Structures are given as C-alpha cells and as structure tokens.
Amino acid sequence: MPEFAANLSTQFTELPFAERFAAAAAAGFEAVEFLFPYDYPAEQLKQWLDENQLQLVLFNTAPGNVAAGEWGVSAIPGREAEARADIDRALQYALALNCPQVHIMAATVPPGADRQRYVETFISAMRYAAERFAPHGINLLIEALNPTTKPNYLYSSQYQTLEMVEQIDRPMCLPSSTCSTRS
C-alpha cells in the first residue's frame, strides 16, 4: 500500500508554517516533508513534529540565492566550501530531526558555462556528502528537475540522474531502503 507524506512547503499554505504540522496530522498524514528547514531551529521543528506525532521524511540542502536564479550550490565551481557547509548543516538538521533522507540540490548551469565543470563539482560534493551521511544511515537523494519548471538545472531526466549516480560511485542509500544503490 502506498504511503504519502504531506509537503508542508506546498500544502496547507493558507496556514502559517507552524500550524501546517497539525493540519497534516488532522488530515491523516503520519509523515511530512518540506523544502528547507533552515528558517527554524531544529529544536522548534522537532517540537512541532513530536506534538503532532509526525515523522519528517525529507528536506533539501539550502538553495543558494534563489532571487539570483540559483537552485542549489553543490555543483557551482568555486563554491565548494559553501556546498560542504550546506551539506554539514543539512546533516545536523537530519540528525536532530531523525530524518532518514536528504536531497542534495545540485545547481542551475548559467548559459554558456562549462557544464562539465558543474558535473565534476557536483560529483565531488556528492562524494563528500556520502562520506558524511553514511555513518548515520541517512539516505542521499538527487532529483532531476523538469526543464520547463527549473530551466538549466544540472540534470533534467532520469537517464541523466542514473548517469550521475554511476559517476558519483558511492552508496547513497542504505541497502534496506527503497531507493536503489550503485557501487
């Protein structure tokens, strides 16, 4: 039987964020996700989850400067230190919130930029993330984004995503989880 999680970034948006947890629970959800937890202390998010008997199942690394067109920094050449700091911060939140998986956002590639440099930077960031998250049993996710919705994102198809996983060449999921691994 399918299991669903309410995305509190896109659902119950008529309510303040803090009230969306109770709304999700009242609607029968046992699990939630949201894009970014970083506007709130992990302790506050944990309280809202616990008060409503909800499990957080997914969130993303930080998006970078969204107003400037960024959607992740893990693939941006020259910003490796920032990407690692975002990965480390995501790990801290995942541990504090008992979240079993985190989406590592790549980046948009500006027109005319060397896409291969972005790929290489992202592969390095993902290898770093895999090494940091693996001891804690937290799955890493990558996601192809529709080019209509998010133009110039580093990868936009399941084929590109699979190729990326092969190039990363690190376990990103636990063997007992539902996501596939390649090594």
Side-chain angles (χ1 to χ4, degrees):
M1 170 169 251
E3 296 181 27
F4 297 97
N7 186 328
L8 299 184
S9 297
T10 61
Q11 294 176 276
F12 310 108
T13 57
E14 69 280 5
L15 299 172
F17 187 72
E19 295 175 24
R20 296 178 196 175
F21 294 81
F29 288 98
E30 296 177 5
V32 295
E33 65 178 276
F34 37 79
L35 293 175
F36 312 109
Y38 312 108
D39 287 341
Y40 303 93
E43 300 76 23
Q44 180 65 69
L45 293 167
K46 180 75 170 132
Q47 179 182 337
W48 294 333
L49 290 163
D50 291 347
E51 286 173 353
N52 294 286
Q53 300 176 355
L54 294 168
Q55 169 67 49
L56 176 63
V57 296
L58 175 66
F59 65 88
N60 302 322
T61 53
N65 185 346
V66 176
E70 292 181 350
W71 199 242
V73 300
S74 296
I76 301 176
R79 303 222 355 231
E80 293 86 355
E82 181 182 350
R84 286 181 177 214
D86 285 346
I87 288 165
D88 290 341
R89 185 167 73 156
L91 177 59
Q92 292 171 357
Y93 269 81
L95 291 171
L97 300 172
N98 194 32
C99 185
Q101 49 199 13
V102 173
H103 169 221
I104 308 297
M105 296 179 67
T108 54
V109 181
D114 182 352
R115 184 181 185 286
Q116 187 56 37
R117 283 193 63 217
Y118 278 72
V119 168
E120 292 166 3
T121 301
F122 186 60
I123 289 168
S124 177
M126 286 302 300
R127 288 176 176 170
Y128 174 81
E131 292 167 7
R132 299 282 292 136
F133 280 70
H136 305 285
I138 299 170
N139 296 325
L140 298 178
L141 305 178
I142 61 174
E143 177 182 20
L145 297 180
N146 177 323
T148 302
T149 305
K150 192 54 68 181
N152 303 316
Y153 195 70
L154 185 62
Y155 42 94
S156 60
S157 76
Q158 70 273 24
Y159 304 108
Q160 290 175 318
T161 303
L162 287 172
E163 181 181 324
M164 192 71 67
V165 169
E166 288 174 359
Q167 291 180 53
I168 293 166
D169 194 29
R170 298 290 187 278
M172 297 189 329
C173 298
L174 300 174
S176 63
S177 72
T178 57
C179 54
S180 64
T181 61
R182 295 185 185 261
S183 54

